[in-house]
Amino acid sequence: MKPLFLVALLLAAPAAFAQTGPAETAAVKATITTFFTGMRQGDSTMVRGTLAPGVVLQTITTKEGTTRVGLENPNEFLQAVGTPHKEVYDERIRFERVLVDANLASVWTPYRFYVGPKFSHCGYNSFQLVKLAAGWRIVHVIDTRRQDGCR
């Protein structure tokens, strides 16, 4: 009986550590939703509260057939969000895919970005989040940006 118990224990172990239930998925989505609510409201403190220490912000762009990966300084991003501006920065996302395992989440969101009522660009965001003592925090965002082929 002892070998059977060990097999059962080994098979159950991954399930004990994986946190892929609806509550974790909802918490991950809430962090990303708060990030974009902060952007819309021009509230850099709200946005900062969703970010992990050492967060990395990147953008993939293609111009004249050349693809580039840009790195954005998180402090400059937060300053841009928090500096009063006439138009609302409105990134409209859809949660297409949310994957969670233990303290890691990966989220795929198509988006359309508006500056006030004017369409600016679209693309996809890929978020990586980590669950810290304070909750789910964004540790990496990489996105595509384009003006054509937006749905």
Side-chain angles (χ1 to χ4, degrees):
M1 279 217 198
K2 200 174 201 178
L4 185 56
F5 174 74
L6 288 174
V7 168
L9 184 62
L10 288 173
L11 291 174
F17 292 105
Q19 300 174 350
T20 57
E24 290 300 327
T25 298
V28 167
K29 287 180 174 182
T31 298
I32 293 171
T33 299
T34 299
F35 175 88
F36 289 117
T37 299
M39 275 182 51
R40 270 189 228 61
Q41 295 177 359
D43 187 339
S44 60
T45 301
M46 181 183 291
V47 173
R48 183 185 309 274
T50 67
L51 304 178
V55 64
V56 175
L57 308 174
Q58 293 181 295
T59 297
I60 301 168
T61 56
T62 302
K63 288 186 182 177
E64 300 174 4
T66 302
T67 300
R68 292 193 168 91
V69 179
L71 185 62
E72 187 165 2
N73 180 307
N75 290 325
E76 290 174 8
F77 170 75
L78 290 167
Q79 183 176 3
V81 167
T83 299
H85 42 278
K86 184 177 162 185
E87 302 288 354
V88 172
Y89 298 157
D90 185 12
E91 187 158 335
R92 302 172 190 175
I93 68 165
R94 233 179 349 99
F95 288 99
E96 191 168 284
R97 184 93 170 157
V98 179
L99 303 171
V100 181
D101 182 58
N103 295 328
L104 172 67
S106 181
V107 181
W108 185 257
T109 65
Y111 75 89
R112 294 177 57 89
F113 189 85
Y114 294 81
V115 178
K118 185 178 178 195
F119 172 76
S120 174
H121 60 275
C122 70
Y124 275 81
N125 297 311
S126 176
F127 289 91
Q128 301 300 306
L129 292 88
V130 62
K131 188 173 184 183
L132 302 172
W136 287 100
R137 296 297 181 260
I138 300 165
V139 71
H140 183 237
V141 182
I142 189 166
D143 64 59
T144 58
R145 294 183 190 179
R146 64 181 180 280
Q147 294 180 318
D148 300 327
C150 299
R151 41 180 176 138

